[in-house]
Every structure is written in C-alpha cells, then in structure tokens.
C-alpha cells in the first residue's frame, strides 16, 4: 500500500501519518479519506487522527472522490461496490446497485449534484452518471470513438454541465 505524508510542501522532513491503498484530500483541507482494504476512514490531515470510520465495502477500496463542498465522499472498490457517504453527519448514504464490475474512476460535479463513475465491462470502460440525491442513473455512456469507451479518468467542468473522459490517449 501507499503512505499518507504530513508536512509543509517545502519541508524536507514529512512524516508518515498512515499507510493505505488509496487516499484523497478534501478541497477544503479539512479531511483526508483513506481506503485500506475494505475500511474507509476519515482522518485529520495534519496529524492523522481518526475522525470517522465506515464499513460497507466487500473488497479493497481503490478510488475515493470528495464532493467540492466536503459534504459527501464517493468510493469504489475492486469488485462491484460503489458507495456515496455523507460526511455531515458521518454515515453511509447509499450503495449504488447493479455495478457489473470493478470501479475504475469517479468524478463529482462542482455543484455536488452529480457523480460519474467508470467501471470495467465487455463494452470497455463505460461511464454511469448519477443524481446524488437519489442515486438514480441519469445517463450510461458506452460508445467512444471506436465503439468502446475506455474512461480511465473523469472530470466535470466548473459549471457541472460538461463531463470529460480520457482513455489515456484521447479526451471524449
């Protein structure tokens, strides 16, 4: 697994505050999310103190994405688990159903109303776009330029109206 480091950017002596498989820092710098195996933990970014812990994943967590306002966190695992977690108050909000394979990437819209995630499938790496309040699927994007989309990286525009996807060689 990886390590979480604490220290000033220009400091030559960062300290390890935690080990983990994946991590994400909230834009507000108020939280660090840490995925270690099936546990999701929220830590203080300065000293690594545990603030909250979540259970629900059945395989190791491989991706995390905070909403820009820090109100929720999306997490995906090596199998078919994709969760949306409320951080205020800390609780599991909902598990997204019918994810056919492991989650690859996710993005939360800046207005925190949408979450998009990609997953491995026979069609490549399609994208599902969800309404955050209901976890209802609003769109399923399968076809890319060559008939198979390989969405390994996702990002929303600042106004939340455009979703960009990259397969490592092109942007769709």
């Amino acid at each position: 697994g990886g390590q979480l480091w604490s220290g000033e950017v220009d400091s030559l002596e960062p300290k390890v505050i935690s080990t983990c498989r994946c991590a994400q820092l909230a834009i507000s710098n108020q939280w660090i999310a840490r995925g270690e195996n099936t546990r999701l933990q929220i830590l203080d970014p300065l000293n690594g103190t545990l603030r909250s812990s979540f259970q629900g994943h059945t395989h190791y967590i491989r991706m995390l994405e905070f909403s820009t306002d820090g109100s929720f966190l999306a997490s995906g695992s090596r199998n078919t688990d994709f969760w949306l977690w409320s951080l205020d108050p800390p609780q599991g909000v909902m598990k997204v159903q019918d994810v056919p394979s492991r989650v690859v990437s996710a993005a939360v819209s800046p207005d925190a109303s949408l979450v998009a995630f990609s997953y491995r499938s026979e069609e490549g790496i399609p994208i599902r776009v969800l309404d955050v309040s209901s976890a209802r699927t609003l769109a399923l994007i399968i076809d890319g330029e060559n008939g198979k989309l390989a969405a390994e990286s996702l990002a929303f525009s600042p106004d939340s109206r455009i979703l960009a996807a990259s397969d490592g060689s092109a942007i769709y």
Side-chain angles (χ1 to χ4, degrees):
Q3 297 178 332
L4 295 177
W5 296 81
S6 177
E8 296 298 319
V9 173
D10 56 357
S11 170
L12 296 177
E13 298 183 28
K15 64 177 181 171
V16 176
I17 59 171
S18 180
T19 59
C20 61
R21 187 171 296 274
C22 64
Q24 180 75 22
L25 178 64
I27 289 175
S28 62
N29 292 334
Q30 63 190 12
W31 294 312
I32 289 179
R34 163 189 124 106
E36 179 60 29
N37 296 321
T38 62
R39 289 182 324 223
L40 172 61
Q41 296 178 329
I42 306 299
L43 307 174
D44 182 292
L46 298 178
N47 59 25
T49 302
L50 180 67
R51 290 187 175 184
S52 302
S53 185
F54 301 100
Q55 297 288 329
H57 282 281
T58 57
H59 208 287
Y60 70 80
I61 299 167
R62 62 179 316 275
M63 61 75 38
L64 300 164
E65 188 71 29
F66 277 102
S67 62
T68 55
D69 64 1
S71 65
F72 74 91
L73 175 71
S75 63
S77 64
R78 179 92 168 97
N79 62 359
T80 62
D81 291 350
F82 187 77
W83 283 83
L84 300 177
W85 307 93
S86 172
L87 299 176
D88 191 21
Q91 64 187 9
V93 175
M94 60 189 76
K95 180 179 180 182
V96 177
Q97 302 296 322
D98 303 321
V99 180
S101 185
R102 76 178 172 104
V103 176
V104 174
S105 181
V108 177
S109 64
D111 66 5
S113 67
L114 303 171
V115 63
F117 68 95
S118 60
Y119 54 90
R120 299 237 179 255
S121 79
E122 292 177 9
E123 292 85 27
I125 306 176
I127 303 166
R128 188 184 294 185
V129 180
L130 305 173
D131 173 76
V132 170
S133 64
S134 66
R136 186 174 59 91
T137 299
L138 300 177
L140 178 61
I141 305 164
I142 297 174
D143 293 330
E145 188 173 283
N146 301 319
K148 280 194 170 185
L149 185 63
E152 295 180 7
S153 178
L154 301 170
F156 278 96
S157 63
D159 65 1
S160 302
R161 295 183 56 195
I162 298 171
L163 175 65
S166 173
D167 65 2
S169 63
I171 298 174
Y172 299 96

